[in-house]
Amino acid sequence: MEGISYQRFPKIRVREMKDDYLKFDLTDTDASMANALRRVMIAEVPTIAIDLVEIEVNSSVLNDEFIAHRLGLIPLTSDFAMGMRFSRDCDSCDGDGQCEYCSVEFHLNVRCDSDQTLDVTSADLRSTDPHVVPVDVAARALSTDPASFDSDQRGIIIVKLRRGQELRLRAIARKGIGKDHAKWSPAATVTFMYEPEIHINEDLMETLTLEEKRNWVESSPTKVFDIDPNTQQVMVVDPEAYTYDEEVIKKAEAMGKPGLVEIYAKEDGFIFTVESTGAIKASQLVINAIEVLRQKLDAVRMQDAEADFKEFSEHLGV
Amino acid sequence: MNAPDRYEHFVVPEGTKKVSYERDTKIVNAGSFTVEREDHTIGNILRMQLHRDPNVLFAGYKLPHPLQYKILVRIHTTNQSSPSQAYNQAISDLDKELEHLKKVFEEEKSRYEVKPRDY
């Protein structure tokens, strides 16, 4: 059966695209594919995050592991994460996973000498690789508008220090995936919903008075329908605002007019909303997710004929 | 206390094969694939893709236990094909679909960057 393929040909249409937010339609594919993409985006797209912390001095009010935990959760710009090696797979370092190919080193050296409380923030983290920095530091460096950042908001606060308190540490950031620890997840939220198909029974709608129509339109928690001011007809103003609560259907039944509207969820149309933490651009997140899913499928391939032959030849002692 | 380490979710230990196949002794053209360190992400798309193959009579997957990180994919086919063939065919088709998806996404992204909002 070579040459026959049962693949699908999905279509994509982007609705809105910003650096950290992406909304697009995915059609002509199965729910399993949409869900697989969602799962991979959340848990299996690699990023870089602080994983090992060596603390030299800590006289702050938070204990060492508390600070280490907070450091791990700081999102770092991870554009190079896909090309990096996992520390466990790296053969150029001597086993401790701290070489330049598989990790990035950070230093933090802060001491409070004034009477005012000193905030130790992500801006104080000094990276040895200018491409891997905390996300808010990178954003501030790129932004040309000085007024867009409050002077108070100098970065993600790690700890606050009083006079005389000091924090000095060395941190190693490594590549990882969300499945291992949520600090490595590049996605803030990834959701998809089915595209709704709404059919209004026009004949039945004619039998309603304007007051009843208005009541019925109001009964939906989100603004899906509206009344056209010119023709006094009920029309669908935003089908995607429909959240699959069935309030309008229940209201129609309560009014004694079942079948006033029919709402179906299209089986093969999905509306994706992808929000990223800033570690990776939202559009790049989707591309990486597709790539990671392909790699997973490749790893799961079975070499059947070769496997049988190999077992046979091993059995012979060749 | 008894929870396995997080890396057990995805790191295949030394000596274990990622995929293994067991022919069913009682039914012809039937068998189970055991895929180590995978979950519903792969299991569900494989299963749905296998359903599209007309030679596949039965395709299903399960996670035998939530704390054992592997999936079992069971496939029965007609005489025209074999479970291994159907399995590899499904993976190839999924790979092609993802390749197509990536291409379509990148095209749409470039198109959107030039001219946002076509509707």
Side-chain angles (χ1 to χ4, degrees):
Chain A
M1 290 271 119
E2 290 82 5
I4 298 183
S5 174
Y6 304 107
Q7 72 170 114
R8 284 177 278 252
F9 295 94
K11 293 203 207 31
I12 294 209
R13 193 183 64 163
V14 171
R15 286 177 187 228
E16 200 185 322
M17 187 158 86
K18 288 187 260 197
D19 263 351
D20 58 355
Y21 179 84
L22 176 62
K23 192 164 182 179
F24 65 94
D25 294 343
L26 176 67
T27 45
D28 298 344
T29 185
D30 190 58
S32 62
M33 178 64 72
N35 195 34
L37 278 171
R38 183 192 65 91
R39 287 174 67 100
V40 168
M41 276 190 246
I42 293 173
E44 301 200 55
V45 174
T47 44
I48 304 170
I50 290 176
D51 200 28
L52 183 68
V53 178
E54 282 173 13
I55 300 190
E56 289 170 53
V57 177
N58 173 21
S59 42
S60 69
V61 291
L62 301 180
N63 49 15
D64 291 353
E65 56 266 29
F66 199 133
I67 293 177
H69 179 246
R70 289 178 69 78
L71 285 167
L73 291 171
I74 296 172
L76 307 172
T77 51
S78 310
D79 301 309
F80 292 129
M82 282 294 274
M84 254 173 96
R85 282 176 262 183
F86 287 103
S87 274
R88 54 174 184 266
D89 297 333
C90 185
D91 24 77
S92 62
C93 52
D94 39 343
D96 59 352
Q98 288 181 32
C99 76
E100 52 174 5
Y101 293 108
C102 60
S103 57
V104 180
E105 197 170 308
F106 285 81
H107 293 272
L108 183 71
N109 197 343
V110 186
R111 192 196 161 86
C112 179
D113 290 315
S114 70
D115 275 323
Q116 215 182 5
T117 303
L118 180 64
D119 294 340
V120 180
T121 68
S122 55
D124 296 315
L125 264 175
R126 309 257 170 260
S127 168
T128 51
D129 182 347
H131 296 289
V132 181
V133 287
V135 164
D136 53 331
V137 170
R140 190 164 302 117
L142 280 174
S143 144
T144 48
D145 177 13
S148 66
F149 289 99
D150 293 323
S151 55
D152 298 329
Q153 205 182 45
R154 264 174 275 268
I156 302 170
I157 295 181
I158 300 169
V159 66
K160 296 187 185 186
L161 298 177
R162 192 190 193 278
R163 175 186 271 281
Q165 290 176 346
E166 190 179 348
L167 181 61
R168 202 151 22 111
L169 55 87
R170 178 175 158 256
I172 311 281
R174 297 199 190 119
K175 170 178 171 177
I177 57 177
K179 238 183 188 177
D180 196 349
H181 192 284
K183 68 188 176 189
W184 276 298
S185 176
T189 68
V190 180
T191 58
F192 69 89
M193 65 178 265
Y194 286 99
E195 261 180 64
E197 226 175 87
I198 304 180
H199 299 288
I200 301 178
N201 189 334
E202 296 292 345
D203 302 327
L204 213 46
M205 192 58 84
E206 290 297 310
T207 65
L208 266 63
T209 67
L210 188 58
E211 196 51 45
E212 284 179 323
K213 280 184 193 171
R214 215 166 261 141
N215 274 339
W216 184 78
V217 164
E218 298 287 308
S219 71
S220 167
T222 49
K223 192 156 173 148
V224 183
F225 303 98
D226 205 358
I227 298 186
D228 190 333
N230 303 327
T231 63
Q232 307 300 333
Q233 297 277 38
V234 174
M235 46 162 211
V236 178
V237 74
D238 189 7
E240 275 130 33
Y242 183 63
T243 52
Y244 295 97
D245 58 278
E246 290 176 347
E247 289 301 316
V248 281
I249 297 180
K250 288 187 213 151
K251 177 85 179 165
E253 274 165 31
M255 285 183 348
K257 307 254 186 285
L260 188 57
V261 67
E262 274 172 6
I263 306 183
Y264 304 110
K266 269 201 225 129
E267 277 177 8
D268 62 350
F270 311 99
I271 303 171
F272 264 85
T273 305
V274 177
E275 258 179 83
S276 124
T277 55
I280 308 178
K281 271 206 176 85
S283 49
Q284 189 60 38
L285 176 58
V286 178
I287 295 172
N288 288 358
I290 298 173
E291 202 47 54
V292 168
L293 196 47
R294 281 180 83 186
Q295 285 169 10
K296 279 167 75 75
L297 279 169
D298 200 43
V300 162
R301 227 178 263 267
M302 177 100 192
Q303 299 85 8
D304 43 1
E306 291 157 24
D308 289 334
F309 187 75
K310 188 161 170 276
E311 277 171 33
F312 186 66
S313 60
E314 271 174 11
H315 179 71
L316 287 178
V318 171
Chain B
M1 185 179 84
N2 289 326
D5 295 310
R6 289 299 296 189
Y7 61 75
E8 299 274 349
H9 274 98
F10 48 90
V11 173
V12 184
E14 286 287 322
T16 323
K17 282 205 286 196
K18 179 88 181 171
V19 196
S20 47
Y21 175 57
E22 262 163 40
R23 210 171 262 143
D24 189 319
T25 49
K26 297 178 213 149
I27 308 176
V28 282
N29 293 322
S32 287
F33 291 85
T34 304
V35 187
E36 286 284 338
R37 313 300 153 145
E38 287 296 345
D39 58 4
H40 302 282
T41 308
I42 294 291
N44 203 22
I45 52 174
L46 253 181
R47 177 186 70 103
M48 294 305 285
Q49 185 61 32
L50 283 162
H51 284 172
R52 286 168 65 84
D53 188 341
N55 287 321
V56 167
L57 297 170
F58 177 91
Y61 85 99
K62 69 176 180 184
L63 271 71
H65 193 278
L67 291 176
Q68 280 170 8
Y69 307 113
K70 60 181 172 183
I71 54 172
L72 243 71
V73 184
R74 191 171 167 81
I75 307 178
H76 293 193
T77 60
T78 59
N79 289 324
Q80 305 297 317
S81 175
S82 80
S84 307
Q85 220 177 327
Y87 180 83
N88 282 326
Q89 171 83 15
I91 293 183
S92 302
D93 291 342
L94 283 168
D95 185 63
K96 286 192 207 129
E97 183 178 342
L98 285 168
E99 197 183 329
H100 175 91
L101 183 61
K102 182 170 175 182
K103 189 179 68 138
V104 166
F105 184 81
E106 282 172 338
E107 278 169 11
E108 174 67 14
K109 177 180 158 210
S110 335
R111 194 206 57 78
Y112 185 85
E113 277 162 354
V114 168
K115 179 174 171 281
R117 293 295 300 258
D118 67 329
Y119 75 113

